[in-house]
Amino acid sequence: MPTKIMHIIPSLAKGGAERMVIDICIELQKKENIEILLVTFQDVDDYTYITADIPKIVCEIKFELSIFKKPKIEINSLHDVIKSFNPDIIHTHLYEADFITKWITYPKIKYITHLHSNMPQLHKLNIIELIKKETWTNFYEKYILIRNYLRCNNYFIAVSKNTEQYISQRIPLSLRKNIVLLPNAINQDRFKSKQRENKSSSNIRIINIGNLNENKDQAFLIDVVKYIKDKNIKIFLQIIGEGILKGKLNEKISKENLDNEIKLIGKVDDVENYLMENDIYVHSSHSESFGLVFIEAMTYGLPVVSTDGKGNQDIIKNDYNGYIVSDRSVKEFAEKIIELHSNVEIYKKMSENARELASKYDIKDYSDRLIHFYSTI
């Protein structure tokens, strides 16, 4: 009998977690004695060009939780699929999928929560924030989630040391033994199939990839580009992604007279082609649990200059494959970019180191470790 694995994620919209789930499913399909099913709650798939052969189903659900009112819950379609597929393991990704799936659990199924980020719902209570409704909503959801974790003896996959530490401090002692550190990985073949052109000798070419939101803070990068331009250095930044702040970012770009130096590209399917055109990967998040995009960029030999997102400390090593700027200083961040561009020997060494580190994060090896983890539980 094959081992049946059900992966559940809210949707297949563009994102690191979504891409990771797809790559996992593709690899697991190649293994003997494993049967998979990918379940989403929304009929959104930005990856149709690679998901056609993955067994998947959309379960439209309604889930409204209230502290003071009776919850509105319609998740029968999900449980009909669970009963029909009869999985040995349910592996959830992202908070919504985790919370809803744990609402009703089955004693013979093993449950795994894939921690792609540090869930804010598990934050410790802060006295200063007690007046916020969101604080009490998160506390209520945390109570329910921890109760359900205990009920099913839940297992956890942490993608970085920071995330591992975060979850271990916020779940009951009896569950801490169920945490495994398993950093995410990428399909190396997808990126190694193309070669990047040589580093530009005149313009500084930098790239950022991510959702356009407050946490990713691409506005910081606009300030960095302005700093470099003001030093009469030619620079060009490509920002790949969509999000609620796109309009504000465009306004800031125009206000700073940087329309020739910065371009918002939007969503793309061929991110590797854009990485090939650039020399340095830049990232400005306030928090980052891991960051698959760092691995993607380093596969092409792009050194990384990034703010400190905590989780990215596992893969960015100062003076080895890039720099982490800890105090969010525009000047320091910009000077690191200038240093990398101007010093050929430093750039070449960091580029080689970036490739070497990225090679350790291959989805093939990852899937073997994941299957081993499945077998242990």
Side-chain angles (χ1 to χ4, degrees):
M1 291 287 291
T3 300
K4 292 187 173 184
I5 315 293
M6 180 181 287
H7 286 268
I8 305 179
I9 193 167
S11 78
L12 294 178
K14 283 286 182 185
E18 290 81 1
R19 179 72 205 212
M20 184 67 200
V21 172
I22 291 168
D23 285 345
I24 288 173
C25 289
I26 290 173
E27 285 302 312
L28 291 183
Q29 279 185 284
K30 300 175 184 177
K31 307 296 183 180
E32 293 183 2
N33 298 319
I34 289 183
E35 184 178 351
I36 64 143
L37 179 64
L38 177 57
V39 177
T40 63
F41 298 154
Q42 302 168 32
D43 191 12
V44 176
D45 187 354
D46 290 336
Y47 297 92
T48 53
Y49 57 97
I50 55 172
T51 60
D53 295 330
I54 297 176
K56 57 184 184 297
I57 190 168
V58 178
C59 293
E60 295 186 0
I61 58 98
K62 292 183 180 179
F63 196 100
E64 295 180 20
L65 198 62
S66 173
I67 298 176
F68 304 107
K69 299 178 182 179
K70 184 179 179 180
K72 297 178 181 179
I73 301 170
E74 295 179 19
I75 55 176
N76 289 338
S77 61
L78 171 62
H79 289 282
D80 287 343
V81 170
I82 292 174
K83 292 174 183 177
S84 174
F85 185 64
N86 191 26
D88 299 290
I89 294 171
I90 291 181
H91 187 155
T92 60
H93 306 262
L94 302 181
Y95 177 74
E96 181 186 357
D98 190 39
F99 190 89
I100 292 173
T101 302
K102 301 297 189 307
W103 192 257
I104 300 174
T105 58
Y106 299 83
K108 293 184 179 181
I109 296 176
K110 300 296 183 182
Y111 290 85
I112 299 172
T113 298
H114 199 125
L115 297 162
H116 294 274
S117 63
N118 296 345
M119 288 188 272
Q121 291 80 5
L122 296 182
H123 282 339
K124 295 179 179 178
L125 271 178
N126 187 326
I127 296 176
I128 299 175
E129 297 180 342
L130 289 180
I131 60 173
K132 296 181 180 179
K133 179 182 177 181
E134 181 183 2
T135 300
W136 291 103
T137 301
N138 286 345
F139 181 75
Y140 179 53
E141 292 184 11
K142 176 182 177 180
Y143 164 76
I144 294 173
L145 194 58
I146 294 297
R147 181 194 65 188
N148 293 339
Y149 282 160
L150 287 167
R151 184 176 63 196
C152 68
N153 190 33
N154 198 70
Y155 290 83
F156 304 87
I157 292 177
V159 299
S160 67
K161 293 176 183 176
N162 177 261
T163 300
E164 180 183 32
Q165 181 182 35
Y166 178 89
I167 190 66
S168 67
Q169 293 173 349
R170 287 162 174 82
I171 59 174
L173 182 62
S174 62
L175 292 175
R176 293 176 190 174
K177 66 181 186 301
N178 294 350
I179 304 171
V180 63
L181 175 62
L182 187 58
N184 285 339
I186 65 170
N187 181 353
Q188 294 281 347
D189 292 340
R190 170 190 169 205
F191 294 89
K192 289 180 178 178
S193 63
K194 300 177 181 179
Q195 295 297 316
R196 184 170 71 92
E197 60 186 80
N198 293 332
K199 185 176 80 69
S200 168
S201 59
S202 54
N203 295 358
I204 299 178
R205 301 178 303 185
I206 59 178
I207 184 172
N208 168 263
I209 302 170
N211 292 324
L212 310 182
N213 57 38
E214 294 286 353
N215 179 56
K216 299 298 183 183
D217 195 11
Q218 284 88 355
F220 177 88
L221 298 177
I222 296 174
D223 293 333
V224 169
V225 171
K226 184 178 186 305
Y227 177 94
I228 295 174
K229 180 186 177 183
D230 288 346
K231 294 178 77 70
N232 294 317
I233 298 173
K234 292 182 179 180
I235 183 167
F236 185 63
L237 165 64
Q238 290 181 319
I239 299 177
I240 310 295
E242 291 284 351
I244 58 174
L245 294 184
K246 185 174 184 178
K248 289 185 177 180
L249 292 173
N250 268 320
E251 289 176 9
K252 184 176 177 66
I253 291 168
S254 296
K255 180 181 177 181
E256 301 293 354
N257 194 27
L258 296 171
D259 296 280
N260 294 326
E261 286 75 26
I262 302 175
K263 185 175 182 181
L264 301 184
I265 305 296
K267 291 192 296 186
V268 301
D269 293 336
D270 56 342
V271 67
E272 57 270 28
N273 290 334
Y274 289 88
L275 290 170
M276 287 167 54
E277 297 174 356
N278 288 277
D279 305 320
I280 300 169
Y281 182 78
V282 294
H283 209 75
S284 49
S285 288
H286 290 274
S287 64
E288 199 69 53
S289 56
F290 180 73
L292 276 176
V293 69
F294 298 123
I295 302 300
E296 293 174 349
M298 286 190 282
T299 298
Y300 282 120
L302 271 65
V304 175
V305 180
S306 176
T307 50
D308 188 359
K310 304 304 180 186
N312 57 357
Q313 294 176 8
D314 290 6
I315 47 181
I316 305 171
K317 307 300 180 184
N318 281 321
D319 300 311
Y320 178 76
N321 59 357
Y323 300 105
I324 290 181
V325 178
S326 58
D327 61 356
R328 301 190 69 82
S329 165
V330 169
K331 178 181 178 181
E332 183 181 352
F333 198 102
E335 291 294 343
K336 292 299 184 185
I337 293 172
I338 295 170
E339 177 185 347
L340 269 173
H341 177 77
S342 60
N343 192 313
V344 177
E345 290 303 315
I346 290 178
Y347 182 92
K348 182 179 178 181
K349 186 61 179 177
M350 285 199 181
S351 179
E352 292 172 354
N353 292 340
R355 291 180 189 274
E356 181 181 357
L357 185 138
S359 67
K360 300 175 182 178
Y361 295 86
D362 191 354
I363 193 66
K364 295 183 179 66
D365 297 331
Y366 177 94
S367 65
D368 290 339
R369 294 196 296 272
L370 181 60
I371 290 171
H372 175 73
F373 176 55
Y374 287 159
S375 69
T376 63
I377 67 172

